[in-house]
Structure formats: C-alpha cells, structure tokens
Amino acid sequence: MLKNRPIAYTTLAGVLVVSAIAWLMRGDSDSEPADSTPQVIANTVAASERDSSSPSDMGEPDSSSATADAQSGKPSALAITRQEAWERERGYMSAGRTHLESFNEGQLRDLAAQGNTAAIAILAGRYLTVDPREMMELYEQAAVLGSTSALVSASSVWASPWISQNVSTMRVSDNPPVNMLAMLLAAQLRGDNVLAPERLQQMKTDYSFTESEIAEACEGAVRLYRQLKARRLELGQNYFDNTPSALGQEYEEGSHTSATCGESGAMPAGRKTGSAAHGP
C-alpha cells in the first residue's frame, strides 16, 4: 500500500489540474453560490461538529475542562453529573431509570419499600384510573421521602373533578385550583426550580387567581410542607434539603410564580429561590 501512495497522489493531482482548467474555461457563467457546500461534505462537517461538541467519556472532568465549558457557556460535565444527582433525589425519572416502567407491581413495591421515589411515582401513575386515593397516597409517600416531582404530578391530577371532590390526601383547600397552586408552591419551597416554574407559569395562564386565593395557596403550601416534614422526621429521616438545582430556572419576580411563601409565613413578593435554605 505504501508503495502505491506516490502514484495515487500523482493521479489525484492530475484530476485536480484538469478540473481547474475546465473551471477556468467555463468562466463566470453559471457560477455556484459561495455557500453551496456539497451535501456529503456538509454532512461530514455537521457530524464532526456534533462529535466535537459531545462530552467524551473520559471520567471525572478536570478543572481545565470545567473552565473551558464555562467559557463556552455550556455546563461542565461535573455540573451535569451534579444536576442528575439532584434530579434523582427529587424523584425525577432519568434515562437510566426508565427500565423501571417495565417492572410489575411487586417489583415496584419492593423498590418503594427501599425508598425509591421513581418507583413510587410509576406505581402511583398506574393507579390513576384504578384507585385515585391510593395514587395520591403514593405521591404523598414519595414527597415525604424527598420527591418534588411527586408534588408537581399530584398538582396536575388534582385538576380531575373526581379527585378534587373525593380525595383528602394533601388537601389544603376546598378550592381545587388553589390546592393545585399550593402543591406547586410546596414543591417550590423544596427548591424545585426545574419543573415547578413551568407548571406555575402554566397555572398563571390557565387561572386568574385573586390576591386572597394566592394568599390561601401560600398558607396551604406552608402547611403542606410542614406536614410532609413532620412525617419525614417521624420516619427518622433528616430534614429536607431545599437547595435549588444549579442548572434550574430562576423564578419570575413580582407574581405568584416567584418564591412568595416561606415556612414561617409569607415573604416579600419577588424574593428568588436562589437563596433557598437547607433544613427546616
């Protein structure tokens, strides 16, 4: 192979020279636009760019890679790893846990007994049309164990008239929309700035809350938070870790979608969750 390389190079050079002469003879007529990159080359470049932008599987990133990511505006591999850990602790379903959806009820129950909040959430979802009371009790169990995504899910299903009229678990108001808002605000008190802000913003669009309803939801969120915390401590668990996600959103200021509730009562409107506290 090595002996044939000079011949190959010579042949290639000849082809290029002939091509150049033919182009010169054609002149300026029918000239291609400057951005007319051949599709094969364009695809190759795009694939190369994707490969270069994908994090390499090289283990723990060092400080230099973290700095490079920060300069490019992208989160470092370490930040992404920490984000994934935060989401697991808050009960979010990660790509590595989707296999749980294929588990039967017995398997999910075993995992639930071990405190696996993702398994509890999957189990709860299966009871939506079978036994909504059991579903809400499972969501509450997951919330006690630290899941904030369970509170977001519970808020969503509470929109069902049957559930809002017949289920008492995590009920802090007889007004369904207010109860839904209270659950989301309780998740916000837990530092959830990943999914809770989106749902809060959607509720702001779907409902026109009065100031008194917002105040009721805020008081209900504090009450619900304390109930969950009390049950958690009874189980011998530590206090909640209410640290927000470093890669999550910042709550909107000046409306009920901001962190207007605190465990000790209402806080000034517009306070952000970036300073959310640990513990009780």
Side-chain angles (χ1 to χ4, degrees):
M1 294 295 293
L2 293 176
K3 294 179 179 179
N4 294 331
R5 283 187 177 179
I7 298 174
Y9 291 154
T10 303
T11 303
L12 177 61
V15 171
L16 292 176
V17 169
V18 172
S19 299
I21 294 173
W23 181 83
L24 290 172
M25 291 176 65
R26 186 178 62 181
D28 293 335
S29 62
D30 299 326
S31 59
E32 295 183 359
D35 61 350
S36 61
T37 307
Q39 190 59 42
V40 174
I41 297 177
N43 292 341
T44 303
V45 172
S48 175
E49 290 175 347
R50 285 196 301 270
D51 292 341
S52 64
S53 63
S54 301
S56 58
D57 186 14
M58 300 295 290
E60 188 76 4
D62 57 23
S63 58
S64 61
S65 64
T67 302
D69 286 339
Q71 292 174 347
S72 66
K74 299 179 181 178
S76 66
L78 179 59
I80 293 175
T81 299
R82 289 173 174 169
Q83 174 70 16
E84 291 173 347
W86 185 96
E87 292 184 4
R88 284 194 301 272
E89 292 172 357
R90 300 313 191 277
Y92 283 94
M93 182 68 68
S94 63
R97 304 167 86 178
T98 54
H99 66 285
L100 297 177
E101 296 176 348
S102 64
F103 282 22
N104 60 39
E105 180 170 346
Q107 293 171 313
L108 292 174
R109 290 281 182 186
D110 289 341
L111 290 174
Q114 300 170 27
N116 189 314
T117 54
I120 297 173
I122 294 173
L123 195 59
R126 295 182 182 180
Y127 278 90
L128 175 60
T129 58
V130 179
D131 189 348
R133 291 189 180 92
E134 175 70 9
M135 176 191 64
M136 291 300 294
E137 289 175 1
L138 287 167
Y139 278 139
E140 183 181 44
Q141 178 186 348
V144 167
L145 293 175
S147 173
T148 57
S149 66
L151 290 170
V152 177
S153 297
S155 170
S156 298
V157 298
W158 197 265
S160 165
W162 193 95
I163 293 176
S164 60
Q165 293 170 15
N166 298 282
V167 177
S168 59
T169 303
M170 291 195 285
R171 179 193 292 272
V172 292
S173 172
D174 291 330
N175 185 338
V178 169
N179 205 82
M180 293 166 63
L181 178 58
M183 290 180 182
L184 292 175
L185 290 174
Q188 182 178 278
L189 287 173
R190 287 289 337 282
D192 191 318
N193 59 343
V194 172
L195 190 56
E198 296 177 10
R199 289 291 298 123
L200 284 167
Q201 186 61 41
Q202 187 61 48
M203 285 209 72
K204 180 181 178 182
T205 302
D206 294 341
Y207 300 95
S208 298
F209 291 104
T210 64
E211 290 186 8
S212 62
E213 287 175 329
I214 295 173
E216 182 185 359
C218 191
E219 292 173 1
V222 173
R223 190 161 62 253
L224 176 59
Y225 176 93
R226 290 175 176 173
Q227 291 171 0
L228 297 174
K229 181 182 71 172
R231 284 194 55 190
R232 181 179 175 85
L233 296 179
E234 288 174 0
L235 295 175
Q237 300 276 339
N238 294 328
Y239 284 111
F240 284 128
D241 179 359
N242 298 329
T243 307
S245 158
L247 300 183
Q249 305 176 50
E250 194 170 64
Y251 289 107
E252 180 181 323
E253 287 197 36
S255 73
H256 66 269
T257 60
S258 63
T260 56
C261 305
E263 191 187 355
S264 60
M267 295 189 296
R271 177 170 173 179
K272 300 178 182 179
T273 57
S275 58
H278 294 264

